[in-house]
Amino acid sequence: MKPTLVIAAAALALLAGCAGKVEPQYPPKELTSFDEQANLNTAWSQRVGRGLGRATYPIGPSREDGVIFAADERGEVYALDAESGDTLWRKDLDTPVSSGLNAVAGQVYLGTRNGEVLALNQNDGEIVWRTRVSSEVLAAPQANQQLLVVQSVDGNVTALDRSSGNEVWVHSSSQPALTLRGTGTPQVIDPVTFVGFANGRLATLDNRSGQPLMEMRVAVPQGRTEVDRLVDLDGQPLLTPDGRLYVTSYNGRLLAMEATSGEILWEREHSSYLSPLLVGDTLYTVNEASHILALDALSGRLLWRSEDFEGRWITAPALADNKLVFGDFEGYVHLLDRNSGDVIGRTRVNRSGISLRPLTDGRWVYALANDGRLEALQIRETQ
C-alpha cells in the first residue's frame, strides 16, 4: 500500500516552506486520443461512505465468493453483491479504518488508525475479534493457513493467530527519520513471510518465531537531503510459484532474486513505491514518474516503456480480460494492450481521483475513487 502513495506530508510541507510554490518534478501529461478497441461500461455504481478521507488512506476493497467488501476512513464497512452492487450489509465499526481490506475464508481483515486489527464475519459484518498492535496499520493484513501478518507504520511486523487474534510473535526494525507515507505489504506463505522496510532492507521471517532467516539491503540511502535518502520498500514483494521474488524500492533497485537463497538473478535501477504485476513471463512495473515498464521476467530485458502517463500518479497495474488496468489522479481508468503498451480503452469514474489499484476479476473492473464512489465496469470489445 498503498498502496503506498506519496512522500510524507512533512517532507512536502518542508519543501514548500523553503521554496514557496513548488513545481512538481513530473508535471502531469495531458491525455491524448487513441484507437479505442474496448469499452468500459458501467454495470453499477455505489457510494462507500466518505471514501479515503483527506489523507487518502489506502483502504482498498477486497472480493471473495461474489461479494465486494469495502470501507471508508470513518469505519463504515460495506458488503456489496459483485454483479448487482446491491448492499448485503453495512457495519459501523465506530473506529477509523486506515488499511486495505483482505477477505479470506469467511472473514474480512482490516487495520485502523489507532493500531487495531479487526476480523469481521463475512456474512453479517459482526466483529469476530479485535487486537491492538504497536501503531497505525496502512498495509492490508496478509494471511496464511494459521497466521494473519500485520505490518504497522513503526516498522513492526506482528503475527496474530487467525482464529483468535492472539499475538504469536513480533519482529521489530529500525525506521529512518523520514519515510514515504505508507508501509510495505508483507508477502505471506505458510513457512515464511517476506517483508520490506522503510530502511531499504528486505527480510525473510520464520513464521514459527518471527526470527529473520535472511536479510538483505535492496536500496542504499544516497544524497544530501532526507528526501533524497528515502529508500522505502513500499510495494508488496511478488513471489512466483517456482520461487522467484521481485522487489521494488524507492530511490533504489528492482530486484529479481531466488527466494530461498537470496541469489540475485538480475537487477536494474528503478525507483518505485508500487507493487509490480507478473503476467506469464512479463513483469509490469510503474516508476516514480508514472512511466510503465514491461520487462522480461527471466532476464530483466526491457520489452517496452510508456511515458504517456508521466506525472499522472497512476496506480499499480492490474489485469482484466488480458489487458492492463490503471487508475490515475484525475479519476480515469485506462486499459492498455499488455504486449505493446498502447492505450485501447478509457473511462472516467470520478474527478476526485483514483489512487488505489483497481480490483479485477475476469472482464470486471472495480474502481474505487478517493471520494468513495465504487464503480463496477465491464470490458467489451469494440472490434
Side-chain angles (χ1 to χ4, degrees):
M1 143 128 14
K2 146 311 122 232
T4 56
L5 302 176
V6 296
I7 293 179
L12 293 179
L14 175 63
L15 290 173
C18 294
K21 183 179 180 181
V22 178
E23 294 297 327
Q25 183 178 2
Y26 302 104
K29 283 189 173 182
E30 295 292 330
L31 297 177
T32 58
S33 59
F34 62 94
D35 178 20
E36 187 175 57
Q37 300 174 34
N39 290 324
L40 285 157
N41 299 323
T42 300
W44 55 260
S45 181
Q46 275 277 19
R47 174 71 63 177
V48 180
R50 293 189 180 178
L52 309 184
R54 290 186 178 181
T56 320
Y57 285 95
I59 312 170
S62 184
R63 171 174 174 158
E64 186 172 60
D65 294 335
V67 180
I68 303 290
F69 301 93
D72 77 348
E73 55 96 17
R74 296 178 304 169
E76 289 189 1
V77 184
Y78 296 76
L80 306 171
D81 183 277
E83 289 198 8
S84 67
D86 292 342
T87 301
L88 305 177
W89 54 256
R90 183 178 72 86
K91 175 76 173 180
D92 188 352
L93 300 178
D94 199 28
T95 188
V97 172
S98 53
S99 85
L101 281 61
N102 192 5
V104 182
Q107 295 190 347
V108 182
Y109 304 104
L110 55 84
T112 73
R113 267 183 265 171
N114 59 12
E116 284 189 304
V117 180
L118 280 71
L120 310 180
N121 188 305
Q122 287 189 15
N123 293 324
D124 55 17
E126 290 300 309
I127 297 174
V128 179
W129 54 256
R130 63 196 306 163
T131 299
R132 187 169 297 280
V133 293
S134 56
S135 67
E136 180 183 37
V137 179
L138 294 178
Q142 300 296 305
N144 66 9
Q145 294 295 319
Q146 291 82 31
L147 300 177
L148 187 73
V149 181
V150 182
Q151 187 167 4
S152 45
V153 297
D154 60 0
N156 285 352
V157 180
T158 304
L160 306 174
D161 183 278
R162 269 184 57 186
S163 60
S164 66
N166 293 335
E167 182 182 296
V168 178
W169 51 257
V170 178
H171 174 83
S172 300
S173 70
S174 61
Q175 289 282 89
L178 186 66
T179 72
L180 294 180
R181 185 184 172 272
T183 58
T185 300
Q187 178 66 255
V188 184
I189 57 176
D190 281 343
V192 299
T193 291
F194 303 97
V195 60
F197 297 102
N199 59 13
R201 300 189 71 86
L202 175 75
T204 304
L205 306 180
D206 188 329
N207 281 339
R208 296 170 298 183
S209 64
Q211 293 300 307
L213 300 174
M214 181 179 64
E215 287 189 82
M216 67 179 299
R217 180 168 290 284
V218 176
V220 178
Q222 300 181 56
R224 300 178 62 182
T225 70
E226 290 294 328
V227 174
D228 290 336
R229 294 173 63 81
L230 291 169
V231 290
D232 298 54
L233 274 62
D234 267 10
Q236 184 178 32
L238 191 161
L239 181 66
T240 68
D242 62 356
R244 287 170 287 146
L245 193 69
Y246 297 92
V247 183
T248 59
S249 58
Y250 190 77
N251 284 336
R253 300 178 291 172
L254 167 60
L255 287 184
M257 55 188 291
E258 207 286 322
T260 304
S261 66
E263 176 189 358
I264 296 176
L265 304 174
W266 57 262
E267 61 180 289
R268 63 182 295 136
E269 289 188 11
H270 182 71
S271 177
S272 177
Y273 51 85
L274 298 172
S275 303
L277 171 72
L278 183 67
V279 183
D281 287 331
T282 304
L283 186 74
Y284 301 95
T285 181
V286 176
N287 69 14
E288 62 172 319
S290 284
H291 299 167
I292 305 167
L293 285 71
L295 307 170
D296 184 294
L298 301 178
S299 67
R301 179 174 60 88
L302 180 66
L303 302 176
W304 56 260
R305 179 188 187 110
S306 172
E307 300 182 3
D308 292 347
F309 304 99
E310 182 173 289
R312 297 191 63 85
W313 294 96
I314 62 172
T315 66
L319 186 75
D321 194 31
N322 206 33
K323 301 169 179 61
L324 298 179
V325 184
F326 300 87
D328 77 10
F329 82 117
E330 288 189 318
Y332 288 96
V333 174
H334 307 274
L335 291 182
L336 274 65
D337 184 305
R338 73 176 190 88
N339 295 313
S340 65
D342 294 336
V343 179
I344 57 175
R346 176 184 298 148
T347 192
R348 195 172 202 175
V349 171
N350 188 272
R351 293 178 182 275
S352 66
I354 299 171
S355 56
L356 302 177
R357 169 189 270 170
L359 184 65
T360 58
D361 183 66
R363 287 177 174 256
W364 287 84
V365 176
Y366 303 92
L368 179 65
N370 294 340
D371 74 345
R373 180 188 295 275
L374 177 61
E375 194 145 322
L377 306 164
Q378 283 187 298
I379 300 173
R380 293 286 184 264
E381 306 294 333
T382 60
Q383 57 184 33

